[in-house]
Amino acid sequence: MDRKLFDHTILKADATRADVERVCREAAQYGFMSVCVNSFYTAFVAERLKGSGVKVCTVIGFPLGQMSTRAKAAETRIAVEDGADEIDMVINVGALKDRDYETILTDIRQVKEACGGALLKVIIETCLLAEEEKVKACELAVEAGADFVKTSTGFSTGGAVCEDVALMRRTVGESVGVKASGGIRDTQTAERMVEAGASRLGTSATIAICCQ
């Protein structure tokens, strides 16, 4: 598989500097698209990846998305200042279920503004949504200026499934990316996600999927 499809991910709560440094070495060695980390490690990863061609991806409002918009925007600005090239933000799922669409739009727009030139992916947490909510979340993300929609944090009740990826691709069209993330641990699953419409894959099992 094309190694540039992959965001090589380390988001677990007990990740140490040694763990994150190992992931950076792997990403540089194999030429993955990015290393995806919590914001605490953004500057550390940016330094380790300097000159490698691998991007720095930072998650925002992770994993619940229920932080204030101001907090998400501030976290985004700091991440970009620390060297993030890409931002993966979690929407406020409760607000979506309340049909408080203005809150969702404001949330994404303010994070997008804080991104500056960084690419923005919006995590909609598909496992918590009904089909019509998935469609609406994608529509709102596109309206607010997101570059990608993303299935999952990997820390909720489920991860990416092909049917959701296909639905998201149909909803956003070809001009917006679709990232599948959560539960992708083997080559066959990764290939099915791409066939369903994913243009990026987030996983901590990247080496096993495409490099062995």
Side-chain angles (χ1 to χ4, degrees):
M1 297 189 71
D2 182 358
R3 294 174 181 177
K4 289 299 183 186
L5 285 168
F6 290 91
D7 291 342
H8 196 31
T9 302
I10 182 163
L11 297 169
K12 59 184 182 179
D14 59 349
T16 65
R17 285 185 181 272
D19 295 329
V20 175
E21 189 159 23
R22 170 184 53 77
V23 166
C24 290
R25 286 197 306 270
E26 292 169 348
Q29 177 182 351
Y30 292 109
F32 300 136
M33 177 59 79
S34 81
V35 169
C36 187
V37 291
N38 288 294
S39 58
F40 174 77
Y41 283 116
T42 303
F44 179 79
V45 169
E47 180 63 30
R48 294 305 181 278
L49 293 177
K50 188 179 297 182
S52 69
V54 178
K55 296 183 183 298
V56 181
C57 175
T58 302
V59 294
I60 298 296
F62 197 85
L64 301 179
Q66 293 260 330
M67 301 74 179
S68 70
T69 295
R70 286 182 300 165
K72 289 180 182 176
E75 188 180 18
T76 301
R77 283 192 293 272
I78 293 166
V80 172
E81 289 169 4
D82 284 348
D85 303 295
E86 300 187 352
I87 296 294
D88 287 19
M89 71 165 288
V90 187
I91 66 164
N92 187 323
V93 175
L96 181 71
K97 288 186 170 293
D98 281 337
R99 300 189 178 187
D100 183 1
Y101 302 142
E102 195 56 43
T103 287
I104 302 296
L105 284 170
T106 299
D107 215 35
I108 300 171
R109 282 172 174 158
Q110 291 196 17
V111 170
K112 176 64 174 177
E113 182 178 354
C115 281
L119 183 146
L120 176 61
K121 310 186 202 91
V122 174
I123 306 171
I124 68 172
E125 203 68 285
T126 50
C127 62
L128 301 179
L129 304 179
E131 182 170 322
E132 61 271 20
E133 292 170 332
K134 296 169 192 176
V135 170
K136 188 63 178 180
C138 289
E139 291 173 343
L140 292 169
V142 172
E143 183 178 348
D147 301 290
F148 271 74
V149 289
K150 176 178 170 181
T151 60
S152 321
T153 62
F155 285 78
S156 190
T157 58
V161 297
C162 292
E163 292 81 3
D164 287 339
V165 171
L167 175 66
M168 293 164 72
R169 173 56 70 199
R170 289 196 302 272
T171 303
V172 303
E174 295 301 322
S175 61
V176 174
V178 175
K179 179 176 173 179
S181 184
I184 302 170
R185 299 187 179 90
D186 57 66
T187 304
Q188 292 74 23
T189 302
E191 289 174 342
R192 287 197 297 270
M193 294 296 171
V194 173
E195 290 168 3
S199 47
R200 192 81 68 90
L201 303 173
T203 178
S204 59
T206 325
I207 304 296
I209 291 171
C210 68
C211 303
Q212 291 181 352

